[in-house]
């Protein structure tokens, strides 16, 4: 039930997010055709690009970071935790980076990060997404961070912080961990296995 339930229609607007759609038109298609959840709907690409224009010259020199929310496999996780985490993370990052206007993507798989990277070319993308519900909770959120993603990116290029919920990693701690990860990724120009190797050798 948690997997099939959709994020409510007004949740993105209430959290200040512009809504987009993946190529998966329905929840059933999302579950049975995973590849469609990995691409943004073609007719929405221009709208996404419009959000990425820097508003001031000073901002254009800062590293660009896109934080976005995907429903993933649990709408309950998104509705319970994504809003507060997004606000805490934005507060932690806004002075250091040029933050692209955050968005919500319906029926999104993690690898949609790679398509967004091709479209927007940010320095880093962080996706907040609902985890597959387990026996303990359906409210567990994950954050997938990847440096300069492209369609050629691989799973080891990503770093994930998971188990974000009130019985796991609480929001303030998760925001701190993700912000520190983003700082390290921008500094070392890497995430995933490459970043882990660099940090281990420091």
């Amino acid at each position: 039930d948690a997997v099939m339930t959709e994020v409510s229609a007004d949740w993105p607007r209430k959290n200040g997010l512009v809504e987009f759609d993946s190529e998966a038109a329905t929840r059933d298609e999302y579950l049975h055709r995973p590849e469609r959840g990995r691409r943004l709907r073609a007719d929405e690409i221009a709208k996404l690009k419009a959000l990425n224009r820097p508003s001031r010259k000073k901002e254009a020199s800062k590293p660009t970071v896109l934080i976005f929310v995907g429903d993933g496999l649990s709408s309950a996780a998104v509705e319970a935790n994504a809003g507060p985490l997004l606000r805490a993370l934005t507060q932690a990052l806004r002075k250091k980076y040029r933050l692209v206007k955050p968005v919500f993507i319906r029926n999104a798989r993690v690898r949609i990060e790679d398509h967004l990277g091709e479209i927007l070319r940010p320095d880093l993308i962080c996706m907040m997404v609902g985890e597959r519900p387990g026996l303990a909770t359906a409210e567990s959120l994950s954050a997938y961070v990847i440096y300069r993603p492209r369609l050629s990116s691989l799973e080891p290029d990503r770093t994930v912080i998971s188990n974000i919920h009130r019985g796991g990693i609480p929001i303030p701690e998760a925001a701190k961990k993700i912000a520190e990860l983003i700082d390290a990724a921008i500094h070392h120009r890497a995430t995933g296995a490459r970043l882990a190797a660099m940090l281990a050798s420091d």
Side-chain angles (χ1 to χ4, degrees):
D1 289 346
V3 169
M4 290 302 296
T5 301
E6 297 193 40
V7 171
S8 61
D10 62 351
W11 185 89
R13 178 185 55 77
K14 284 182 176 178
N15 287 275
L17 302 176
V18 179
E19 181 168 342
F20 291 83
D21 293 287
S22 76
E23 289 183 342
T26 65
R27 198 66 181 161
D28 189 65
E29 187 175 36
Y30 167 78
L31 293 171
H32 290 92
R33 299 288 303 275
E35 74 281 2
R36 298 200 174 190
R38 297 170 186 156
R39 295 288 185 107
L40 189 70
R41 209 172 74 189
D43 63 342
E44 294 192 326
I45 290 175
K47 184 172 81 168
L48 182 66
K49 284 182 176 179
L51 295 177
N52 193 42
R53 297 190 187 114
S55 58
R56 297 189 296 273
K57 260 188 179 179
K58 184 180 176 182
E59 283 193 335
S61 64
K62 293 181 180 179
T64 305
V65 174
L66 168 63
I67 306 168
F68 79 100
V69 179
D71 47 5
L73 291 167
S74 177
S75 61
V78 170
E79 295 198 354
N81 297 304
L85 180 57
L86 175 62
R87 290 187 284 275
L89 192 54
T90 298
Q91 181 67 21
L93 299 175
R94 62 187 178 86
K95 291 184 179 179
K96 291 187 272 189
Y97 305 110
R98 180 166 72 86
L99 300 180
V100 179
K101 185 169 176 60
V103 300
F104 169 73
I105 303 181
R106 198 171 290 277
N107 292 327
R109 297 276 177 175
V110 171
R111 286 182 61 183
I112 204 168
E113 286 184 316
D114 304 340
H115 193 207
L116 299 185
E118 289 283 355
I119 296 166
L120 296 178
R121 302 289 170 129
D123 292 292
L124 183 139
I125 292 180
C126 173
M127 178 186 191
M128 301 175 191
V129 62
E131 294 179 8
R132 184 188 300 275
L135 293 175
T137 182
E139 294 187 356
S140 189
L141 198 73
S142 288
Y144 286 83
V145 177
I146 182 167
Y147 183 76
R148 293 188 178 175
R150 300 292 184 267
L151 290 176
S152 58
S153 297
L154 303 173
E155 290 314 301
D157 296 328
R158 279 171 248 280
T159 302
V160 61
I161 295 174
S162 58
N163 201 35
I164 302 168
H165 60 94
R166 59 186 174 182
I169 303 175
I171 298 296
E173 183 181 344
K176 184 173 184 291
K177 283 177 178 284
I178 298 166
E180 289 173 349
L181 169 60
I182 289 173
D183 288 343
I186 294 294
H187 177 73
H188 289 282
R189 300 184 178 183
T191 43
R194 282 188 59 223
L195 178 61
M198 289 175 180
L199 294 176
S201 66
D202 281 354

